[in-house]
Amino acid sequence: MSTGLGELVDQKSALETVKEKEAALLFQTYERFPVLFERGEGVYLYDAEGKRYLDFLSGIGVNALGYSHPAIVKTIVEQSAKLIHISNLFYHRYQAELAEALTRISGLDRVFFCNSGTEAWEGALKLARAYARHKSPEAKKPKSKLLVMENSFHGRTYGSLSTTGQKKYRAPYAPLLPGVTFVKFNNVADLRKKFNANVCAIGLETVQGEGGIQPVSQEFLQTARELASANDALLILDEIQCGLGRTGKYYAYQHFGVRPDVVTTAKPLAAGIPLGAILATNEVAAAFHPGMHGTTFGGGPLACAVANTFLSELTRPGMLEHVQQTGAYFVERLGELKAKHKVIKDVRGLGLMVAAELKSVDVAKATVKEMLERGFIINRTHDKVLRFLPPLVIESEHVDALVQALGEVLKSSKAAKGKQK
Ligand SMILES: Cc1ncc(COP(=O)(O)O)c(C=O)c1O
C-alpha cells in the first residue's frame, strides 16, 4: 500500500511505540522479530510500512489458506453478525456438521471441541486415564502409565508439558504429572522395553514438528499400534501440526495405514480462529460421561462455522494432490541447494511440512533474520532446523522465489563462510 512520507514516519514510529509499550506491559515470554504486521492477502503479509513478505510459516501452520481468503472472510462476517458464542449448554447448527466432516476425513467416530492444541492434548491424556478406569471399573489401580516420546512437543499446559520430551520446556515447572515415561522416538527396542501392562496409552506426534520435522517410522508406528491393541492401551496421535492436509493427506497417519484410537487436531482447523478437537473411536469416547470434561468457549458457533468453510476448501478435489506435488517440488529444490551449500546437512519433508537442517546454529539464526529482511518469513526450530510450513495454497513460483532467496542468503551469510558451530 503506497503511503506519503508523513504517514511513513508515523508507521515507523508505530512499531517503536508498540515495542516500548510491550516491553513495559507484557510478560516477556516472546522474542519477537521487529516487524509490525497490518494485513495479509493470499500468501503475502504486509507490514506497517507497506513492505510485502512471502509467508512460508503461516502463523506456525495455522493460515493454511493464506490470508483474507474470500470464503473464510465471508463466513466470519456473516456468522459474527448472527451468533458468536452460546456456551455448550445449548445446541447450535455447526458442531454436528463439523464433527461429520472431521470423522469422515479422519476415519474416527466422535469429536470433542476445545480451543487450542494443548487443550486437545490435555483432554486426550485425561481420556486415556478415564478409558483405563472405564475398562476396569473394579480395579484398585487402573492402568495409568503414559508412554510418550523424547524430542516431542505437545503444548504448554501441565499435562502437555509433562509429556513433552524436551527438558528445556519442562525443567522450570517441576514437579510435573506423574506416570509419564519417555521413549526414544523411532526406537522400537526402547518402546518394547518400556511398554508394560500398566501402560494406558502411547502418545506421539506422527511427524514431530518442534522437534525438527521428524516423521515416525512405519515400523515404530506399527509396533506402537500392535502393543497398544494387544494390551487394551490407546494409541494417541498428536496431529496438531501435521494434520489437516499439511503432509498431503488429511491426517499424517494415513500415510502409514494405521488407525489410532485418539487424534488431536487444531492449528488450521478454523483458519485462525482458535479451535481444537479430540477425535476418538466410539469405544474410547464412551469413557467420558456428561460432566467429566468441558469448556466454555470450545466449539462455539463462529469457530465451527469457519471450520466448516475451511474443511470445504480443504476437501476440494485436487487440494491434497496440490500439497503433495508442491511439497515434493519444494524438497527437490531444497535438495539442489544442499548440493551447493555444505552448511545444509539434511533436507526432509512430507507434503508442505518441510525442513532444511543446517550444521550451524549461528547460520540458522542469521538465515532466518536475513530472509525476513529480504521479505521471506521462515522459522527456526530445534536450534539448527529451518522449518517451512507455508500456506497449503502456495504455488511452485513461490517455492522458486524462496529457494532463490535462500540460496543467496546462504551464499552471502558471513556465518556460513566462517564460524560454523
Ligand atoms: C504437535 C503439537 N502439539 C501441540 C501443540 C500446542 O498447540 P497450541 O499452541 O495450540 O496449544 C503444538 C504447537 O505448536 C504442536 O506443534
Side-chain angles (χ1 to χ4, degrees), residues 107 138 147 204 215 232 234 244 252 259 306 363:
E138 307 301 324
L147 277 195
L204 59 125
D232 232 337
L234 302 183
L244 290 170
R259 189 192 191 216
V306 176
V363 179

Side-chain angles (χ1 to χ4, degrees), residues 116-118 153-155 205 210 238 240-241 267:
S116 65
T118 198
F153 183 84
H154 298 294
E205 292 156 88
E210 302 299 311
D238 181 341
I240 289 160
Q241 192 169 139
K267 285 191 185 280

Side-chain angles (χ1 to χ4, degrees), residues 296-343:
T296 296
F297 291 112
L302 178 63
C304 288
V306 176
N308 283 324
T309 302
F310 171 69
L311 284 180
S312 335
E313 294 296 321
L314 185 69
T315 53
R316 264 180 203 280
M319 185 68 160
L320 293 182
E321 290 75 11
H322 173 80
V323 174
Q324 289 162 14
Q325 283 159 13
T326 319
Y329 178 68
F330 188 16
V331 168
E332 184 190 315
R333 294 294 329 267
L334 287 174
E336 290 166 21
L337 277 191
K338 180 173 177 280
K340 286 190 216 147
H341 299 277
K342 286 210 176 75
V343 73

Side-chain angles (χ1 to χ4, degrees), residues 153-361:
F153 183 84
H154 298 294
R156 307 288 193 152
T157 52
Y158 254 97
S160 301
L161 196 63
S162 302
T163 49
T164 283
Q166 300 187 54
K167 279 202 186 108
K168 67 177 179 196
Y169 294 116
R170 290 200 314 272
Y173 303 108
L176 300 172
L177 186 72
V180 175
T181 300
F182 291 98
V183 172
K184 290 188 177 69
F185 187 53
N186 281 342
N187 184 324
V188 172
D190 199 43
L191 175 62
R192 287 193 186 282
K193 190 170 101 190
K194 288 171 180 162
F195 190 90
N196 63 32
N198 189 31
V199 170
C200 68
I202 305 173
L204 59 125
E205 292 156 88
T206 320
V207 182
Q208 290 190 335
E210 302 299 311
I213 315 293
Q214 304 282 2
V216 70
S217 71
Q218 178 77 43
E219 189 193 3
F220 191 86
L221 189 59
Q222 223 158 311
T223 307
R225 175 68 282 173
E226 283 161 18
L227 287 170
S229 296
N231 292 278
D232 232 337
L234 302 183
L235 175 63
I236 309 178
L237 296 182
D238 181 341
E239 294 249 355
I240 289 160
Q241 192 169 139
C242 63
L244 290 170
R246 173 58 55 193
T247 68
K249 299 271 186 192
Y250 290 124
Y251 284 98
Y253 56 82
Q254 290 160 347
H255 290 281
F256 299 90
V258 163
R259 189 192 191 216
D261 304 295
V262 181
V263 171
T264 55
T265 193
K267 285 191 185 280
L269 181 54
I273 307 278
L275 183 65
I278 313 170
L279 317 176
T281 59
N282 275 325
E283 196 197 354
V284 175
F288 271 172
H289 301 142
M292 278 177 73
H293 195 53
T295 164
T296 296
F297 291 112
L302 178 63
C304 288
V306 176
N308 283 324
T309 302
F310 171 69
L311 284 180
S312 335
E313 294 296 321
L314 185 69
T315 53
R316 264 180 203 280
M319 185 68 160
L320 293 182
E321 290 75 11
H322 173 80
V323 174
Q324 289 162 14
Q325 283 159 13
T326 319
Y329 178 68
F330 188 16
V331 168
E332 184 190 315
R333 294 294 329 267
L334 287 174
E336 290 166 21
L337 277 191
K338 180 173 177 280
K340 286 190 216 147
H341 299 277
K342 286 210 176 75
V343 73
I344 302 181
K345 185 178 163 198
D346 187 32
V347 169
R348 53 185 177 263
L350 204 52
L352 283 169
M353 191 169 185
V354 175
E357 181 168 352
L358 304 189
K359 292 178 184 159
S360 151
V361 179

